Amino acid sequence: MNTDSITLSRRAVHVAIGALLCVGTALTPVLAATPKDTLVLAFAFDDIITMDPAEAFEISAGEIMGNAYDRLIRFDVKDPSRLYGDVAKSWTVSPDGKTFSFEIKPGLKFASGNPLTAEDVAFSLQRAVLLDKTPAFILTQFGLSKANVRDMVKATGALTLTLETDKAYATTFVLNCLTANVASVVDKKLLLSKEQGSDMGYAWLKTNYAGSGPLKIREWRANEILTLERNEQYHGDKSKLVRVIYRHVKEAATQRLLLEKGDIDIARNLSPQDLTALASNADIKTTSTPKGTLFYFSMNMKNPNLAKPEVREALKYLVDYAAIGDTLMKNIGVVHQNFLPMGLLGASTVNPYKLDVDKAKSLLAKAGLANGFKVTMDVRTVQPVQGIAEAVQQTAKRAGIEIEILPGDGKQTLTKYRARTHDMYIGQWGADYWDPHTNADTFVRNPDNADDAKSKPLTWRNAWAIPELTKKADAAVLERDPVKRRALYDAMQAEFRKTSPFVMLFQQTEVAAYRSNVDGLKLGPTSDSTYLFGVSKR
Amino acid sequence: MLAALKATGRFVLVLALTYLGLLAVTFFIGRVIPVDPVLAIVGDRAPEHVVARVREELGLNKPLYEQFGIYIQKVAHGDFGTSVLTANPVLQDIARTFPATLELATLGILIGVLVGVPLGVWAAVRRGGLVDQVVRVMGLIGYSVPIFWLGLMALVLFYARLGWVSGPGRIDVVYQYTLQPVTGLLLVDAALGGEWEAFRNALSHLILPASLLGYFSLAYISRMTRSFMLNELSQEYVVAARAKGLSETRIIWRHALRNAMVPLVTVIALSYAGLLEGSVLTETVFAWPGLGLYLTNSLQNADMNAVLGATIVVGSVFIGLNLVSDLLYQLMDPRTRAR
């Protein structure tokens, strides 16, 4: 080689470095905090599939609906047992408990400028039942159906409407159901103008907005961005923020970096490690709320070993609740061994189980399985579920139970679970609406355990045939005395703890970390009660 | 004339068969993965009658071949269906996600080529020397370090600590609604609109993930360049050129590299095609709404319309780049020119 090529290379290196430096200086970003009138959140919202409140049932979508749509009544986020009128000014229940009459506040308007009347409210409930999408069951469970909904829900005047139910249910049950997203009030005139065929605006509303809430939906770009704007027509206190922008950021570590740099105001999906690391940062605060979501694992009673009551009880003693709570679930969950999450009417806080290998061993011996057995568990490969499964695997082994973990994507494990071809399944369950029946319906009701059953609640998926408990759950939803109703749920929870194939583990605590210049952020107990219209920035 | 027509005809036929095969394989794989596509639409809570109705609406109760037939018929009429996850027509989704990936991949491959080729040449010339070793180690790191980790580290360093570049995402939220979308490529749109602030912002968001992708393709390109160059440098014509007294620079860059470029074009084209598929991990770390994430998310939810649509795009990219590299071959190597 000669010096020629060396000089050339040196020159090239100098040029390259020079160019890099130039690009570097040119790109150095202006230190830009987010605008004062705009709240920017990092939120993993890839679960959203629609903006129509009659169909939206995903966790992230719930939050958007809660901010963008009004409903007849809402529950108080500070005390969820207290209901208040949203578009309803007042309501009464007939003495037989089957007719609910509502009076609508006068002078309300949708974001479109159209007036909001009883006709719109009736249309909204009818539309949800007629479209019959996933959340429609919340309304049909008190007797509304496609055939009768136009008679059962009626506007009786410009500002009055009545709702009839098929039986006399607990008043709280019906009213609680009406706080759900599916009961959101939509703009009849606007939707009918966008109608295709006779779809009541269904195709259009998937990506559009027809509401009257404090924030209106400007745009939803799947997996990218979701923008809400202040609704100037809103009847109550108008939002302090002009704009709320959700950015889809899937990776927790990325959310943390964005928050630390001030490119976002609120990070919604941080891991326990991120939260611990942020605790020492003076610019960042956190807020948390117990959610209606429970972590559990369950045992399919089609497996002969798991069908033995002693085995099921033994597994409840083979979880180190305290240790998992201090590590994997630190800041994001608390031990909870009941099927009603704290905050719901009648929720029990009795947590009798703790790790006790000897007790588990003696129970297994009683079941004739002193040497243990082998079993599989379907596990979604996300935290904290995967970590909890591994911890359970360790402790169960100490009593001779060999758990083989079958990892899978969420939809994959769920498909198997729904077909009840699993042995054990670990997952979570969130309350669908703010009434104890939502969880009783799936954890202690199994009307038909046959393979071709019409309804397939969690009890069915684990082949737990419980005709007696089913009757008790049905009775509880008709009990109109709140004190007695509470007692019924308490008794069901005690029986469930002892005999069910469900090992209830934790109740989720949702945590959000935010920049210290954000005021008024409060996470709601349900996905649809995290209200951003009360938030402001300094 | 006739021969040309015949050749064109054969090309079109092969193209059609390739697409059909691609779609068939993707379709059947998508239908045998153990995920219930209805689940993505109705969720876990839906009553059984809703599940059954949606299954019927999607035509999932028909035999597989019939489902495929219906799909192909629709595609032939330009209807790629609607994604159940995003509620948008698949074409619209692709028009949104592909430019994001295109912008990233193009800058990435530019970096990969502009840095990788000279490095490879340099390493070949200094075979066994320090430069060669350094380039080799860099290449190895590029191959073996998970891009996910490297991406996070790069963010921590250049974005969080040094503040040289903007963070994850394609552009700051303040420009989100000021920029008029024309091509979907933010740099182009900003330049067209004369929005130079937005241009600068988009570029400062783009540079880090693009450099990262560039680094990964650089690792491969520099290794291949080195080996092609070594091959050329040992040829007789190089010895002859040296004997004639040509300068070493001229021999390396004019004679040897020009010959090495021929096989290198294929390597570069394939690297570029690989980047255009979208890099799921890079897109996740950098919150980049590109094709890779779209495709993966759709696949996990068995959203077959979206998966098939994205597969066609990826397939077209490969076919197109193959064509381009064939043409470049003919330009660079007279021997391959059809007579």
Side-chain angles (χ1 to χ4, degrees):
Chain A
M1 293 310 125
N2 59 29
T3 48
D4 223 20
S5 73
I6 296 174
T7 23
L8 178 109
S9 315
R10 282 222 180 111
R11 208 189 305 144
V13 171
H14 287 153
V15 171
I17 292 177
L20 262 178
L21 282 178
C22 285
V23 172
T25 8
L27 287 181
T28 308
V30 193
L31 206 63
T34 55
K36 277 231 164 60
D37 58 358
T38 304
L39 188 73
V40 185
L41 302 94
F43 196 32
F45 61 77
D46 46 359
D47 55 338
I48 299 182
I49 59 164
T50 177
M51 289 284 107
D52 186 338
E55 185 177 30
F57 210 46
E58 296 68 40
I59 291 173
S60 315
E63 178 162 324
I64 310 304
M65 298 299 131
N67 282 293
Y69 282 92
D70 287 329
R71 51 225 58 201
L72 277 171
I73 43 182
R74 288 189 196 248
F75 63 78
D76 186 348
V77 285
K78 292 189 200 86
D79 172 15
S81 63
R82 203 186 74 83
L83 297 168
Y84 65 92
D86 194 3
V87 302
K89 190 172 152 198
S90 63
W91 59 90
T92 53
V93 187
S94 65
D96 70 354
K98 284 163 72 173
T99 305
F100 292 71
S101 309
F102 295 89
E103 193 187 341
I104 310 296
K105 291 175 185 168
L108 302 187
K109 272 184 184 167
F110 286 103
S112 65
N114 292 334
L116 190 163
T117 65
E119 190 53 43
D120 292 289
V121 181
F123 171 78
S124 305
L125 296 175
Q126 291 168 357
R127 178 177 180 273
V129 172
L130 292 170
L131 286 176
D132 197 18
K133 300 299 171 187
T134 302
F137 76 89
I138 296 175
L139 299 175
T140 56
Q141 61 185 344
F142 41 77
L144 305 184
S145 69
K146 282 188 193 182
N148 71 15
V149 69
R150 288 185 207 272
D151 300 321
M152 304 281 266
V153 182
K154 267 193 299 211
T156 49
L159 294 174
T160 53
L161 100 150
T162 58
L163 165 82
E164 280 175 61
T165 58
D166 61 341
K167 289 183 209 157
Y169 293 96
T171 307
T172 44
F173 169 65
V174 176
L175 292 175
N176 285 336
C177 286
L178 291 177
T179 66
N181 281 327
V182 69
S184 293
V185 182
V186 292
D187 190 334
K188 180 180 182 182
K189 201 171 155 196
L190 178 64
L191 281 179
L192 291 183
S193 75
K194 304 287 182 188
E195 195 166 37
Q196 297 172 21
S198 54
D199 74 348
M200 293 177 281
Y202 170 69
W204 180 81
L205 194 56
K206 258 181 182 282
T207 53
N208 283 287
Y209 176 63
S212 57
L215 292 163
K216 51 185 183 181
I217 302 167
R218 167 167 174 168
E219 185 190 27
W220 161 51
R221 256 185 261 158
N223 301 339
E224 189 178 342
I225 200 164
L226 201 158
T227 305
L228 306 178
E229 278 176 347
R230 177 160 66 202
N231 175 10
E232 303 294 351
Q233 305 277 6
Y234 185 58
H235 63 88
D237 294 335
K238 291 196 181 35
S239 164
K240 292 179 184 126
L241 298 158
V242 172
R243 216 169 287 106
V244 173
I245 297 182
Y246 289 89
R247 289 180 54 187
H248 174 63
V249 181
K250 186 81 178 158
E251 173 55 34
T254 305
Q255 290 199 1
R256 180 180 146 195
L257 285 175
L258 284 165
L259 182 69
E260 285 175 321
K261 282 296 270 190
D263 278 337
I264 56 168
D265 301 305
I266 304 175
R268 298 291 298 275
N269 311 90
L270 296 178
S271 69
Q273 295 88 321
D274 293 323
L275 292 167
T276 311
L278 287 174
S280 57
N281 189 331
D283 295 331
I284 290 163
K285 294 182 186 167
T286 59
T287 175
S288 63
T289 303
K291 285 298 222 199
T293 301
L294 302 171
F295 290 89
Y296 72 93
F297 70 84
S298 67
M299 296 165 262
N300 187 351
M301 292 178 57
K302 292 217 156 192
N303 177 315
N305 286 333
L306 299 177
K308 296 177 182 169
E310 297 88 355
V311 172
R312 297 205 300 273
E313 203 180 351
L315 270 155
K316 291 174 188 174
Y317 282 110
L318 286 173
V319 179
D320 197 343
Y321 303 90
I324 300 172
D326 287 339
T327 52
L328 289 163
M329 297 300 290
K330 192 182 174 199
N331 297 329
I332 59 166
V334 290
V335 175
H336 190 69
Q337 298 174 350
N338 296 287
F339 71 78
L340 289 183
M342 287 173 283
L344 274 182
L345 177 86
S348 164
T349 51
V350 179
N351 298 322
Y353 295 102
K354 56 183 193 315
L355 179 67
D356 188 341
V357 179
D358 293 332
K359 174 110 185 180
K361 275 183 177 164
S362 75
L363 282 164
L364 286 175
K366 226 193 270 176
L369 290 165
N371 295 323
F373 58 95
K374 279 189 180 168
V375 68
T376 62
M377 183 188 269
D378 287 283
V379 179
R380 190 179 170 191
T381 49
V382 291
Q383 295 300 0
V385 172
Q386 196 180 0
I388 298 174
E390 282 158 6
V392 172
Q393 186 184 35
Q394 294 292 322
T395 42
K397 202 172 179 180
R398 287 164 63 183
I401 301 177
E402 295 264 354
I403 299 175
E404 185 196 344
I405 289 181
L406 305 177
D409 167 60
K411 293 276 160 38
Q412 201 181 331
T413 55
L414 200 53
T415 301
K416 196 170 164 192
Y417 187 38
R418 290 169 61 93
R420 60 175 180 185
T421 53
H422 63 293
D423 281 344
M424 296 210 280
Y425 171 89
I426 181 162
Q428 58 219 66
W429 187 267
D432 290 331
Y433 48 94
W434 205 241
D435 187 87
H437 186 64
T438 176
N439 277 19
D441 194 23
T442 200
F443 282 109
V444 288
R445 275 189 90 240
N446 190 1
D448 179 5
N449 198 34
D451 281 340
D452 59 349
K454 262 199 201 139
S455 101
K456 298 176 174 174
L458 293 183
T459 46
W460 180 90
R461 291 188 200 169
N462 292 290
W464 190 36
I466 37 165
E468 288 307 312
L469 260 177
T470 305
K471 274 183 210 152
K472 287 181 190 169
D474 289 340
V477 79
L478 295 173
E479 179 52 63
R480 296 180 64 194
D481 177 347
V483 178
K484 283 187 194 156
R485 195 172 177 221
R486 184 186 295 263
L488 290 177
Y489 285 112
D490 205 50
M492 278 185 270
Q493 287 173 91
E495 190 176 342
F496 174 91
R497 280 194 299 269
K498 182 89 179 144
T499 63
S500 78
F502 297 93
V503 183
M504 306 308 291
L505 304 164
F506 297 93
Q507 176 169 355
Q508 188 198 353
T509 308
E510 189 187 354
V511 193
Y514 59 98
R515 304 281 309 176
S516 51
N517 64 334
V518 173
D519 285 324
L521 174 67
K522 169 142 178 50
L523 299 170
T526 57
S527 63
D528 55 5
S529 54
T530 296
Y531 300 141
L532 296 177
F533 44 84
V535 175
S536 62
K537 279 168 75 177
R538 268 178 283 124
Chain B
M1 186 64 201
L2 199 68
L5 251 164
K6 227 172 165 181
T8 316
R10 188 182 302 142
F11 176 74
V12 171
L13 190 69
V14 168
L15 203 65
L17 284 177
T18 310
Y19 275 120
L20 199 65
L22 191 64
L23 283 179
V25 170
T26 317
F27 187 87
F28 290 110
I29 290 178
R31 281 292 177 254
V32 296
I33 53 170
V35 174
D36 185 351
V38 176
L39 207 51
I41 305 175
V42 302
D44 188 22
R45 312 298 169 81
E48 285 307 308
H49 73 274
V50 176
V51 174
R53 191 189 61 217
V54 172
R55 195 179 302 283
E56 200 165 315
E57 280 169 9
L58 291 178
L60 289 169
N61 44 3
K62 297 197 176 85
L64 267 188
Y65 63 87
E66 205 172 308
Q67 291 180 36
F68 186 61
I70 293 171
Y71 179 76
I72 290 297
Q73 228 169 25
K74 279 191 179 162
V75 168
H77 290 92
D79 176 11
F80 285 80
T82 302
S83 158
V84 297
L85 290 182
T86 67
N88 292 322
V90 170
L91 283 182
Q92 196 181 319
D93 276 343
I94 289 174
R96 191 165 57 83
T97 54
F98 188 62
T101 295
L102 183 65
E103 202 162 40
L104 188 58
T106 306
L107 195 61
I109 199 72
L110 271 177
I111 294 172
V113 171
L114 292 182
V115 183
V117 172
L119 273 185
V121 172
W122 200 8
V125 172
R126 296 311 203 74
R127 183 183 185 185
L130 184 66
V131 172
D132 192 18
Q133 303 293 357
V134 170
V135 173
R136 173 176 297 138
V137 171
M138 272 183 61
L140 272 178
I141 294 176
Y143 264 139
S144 49
V145 175
I147 195 163
F148 192 77
W149 182 83
L150 206 63
L152 271 180
M153 288 304 115
L155 272 179
V156 168
L157 183 64
F158 295 110
Y159 163 62
R161 293 276 173 275
L162 298 173
W164 288 3
V165 296
S166 296
R170 286 185 79 189
I171 198 162
D172 280 3
V173 286
V174 287
Y175 301 109
Q176 196 62 246
Y177 289 104
T178 55
L179 204 58
Q180 282 305 314
V182 184
T183 59
L185 302 164
L186 292 186
L187 293 183
V188 176
D189 289 351
L192 285 178
E195 307 241 8
W196 298 107
E197 267 303 304
F199 183 88
R200 213 179 86 129
N201 186 270
L203 188 61
S204 97
H205 277 275
L206 183 61
I207 196 78
L208 195 59
S211 302
L212 211 64
L213 287 183
Y215 176 50
F216 278 80
S217 50
L218 172 161
Y220 182 55
I221 290 171
S222 67
R223 290 313 292 163
M224 296 311 282
T225 309
R226 177 183 177 275
S227 97
F228 293 144
M229 278 300 283
L230 283 179
N231 188 35
E232 294 302 328
L233 287 174
S234 64
Q235 299 285 328
E236 282 178 357
Y237 74 85
V238 172
V239 180
R242 284 210 181 109
K244 274 200 319 195
L246 284 184
S247 82
E248 196 67 13
T249 314
R250 203 176 160 81
I251 294 173
I252 295 169
W253 298 102
R254 276 286 174 80
H255 294 249
L257 182 62
R258 184 173 274 190
N259 280 313
M261 233 22 222
V262 178
L264 204 54
V265 162
T266 311
V267 168
I268 292 170
L270 286 181
S271 300
Y272 187 37
L275 292 187
L276 281 174
E277 267 178 69
S279 160
V280 182
L281 294 178
T282 315
E283 287 176 8
T284 307
V285 175
F286 288 93
W288 202 264
L291 190 69
L293 266 188
Y294 180 65
L295 184 54
T296 315
N297 201 20
S298 307
L299 196 57
Q300 282 174 347
N301 289 289
D303 183 359
M304 284 321 286
N305 282 345
V307 172
L308 290 166
T311 306
I312 290 180
V313 173
V314 173
S316 306
V317 162
F318 270 92
I319 292 170
L321 283 173
N322 253 322
L323 261 179
V324 170
S325 68
D326 278 355
L327 289 175
L328 283 176
Y329 249 68
Q330 295 187 7
L331 272 179
M332 288 192 292
D333 187 349
R335 286 170 305 179
T336 56
R337 265 172 227 166
R339 263 162 248 270

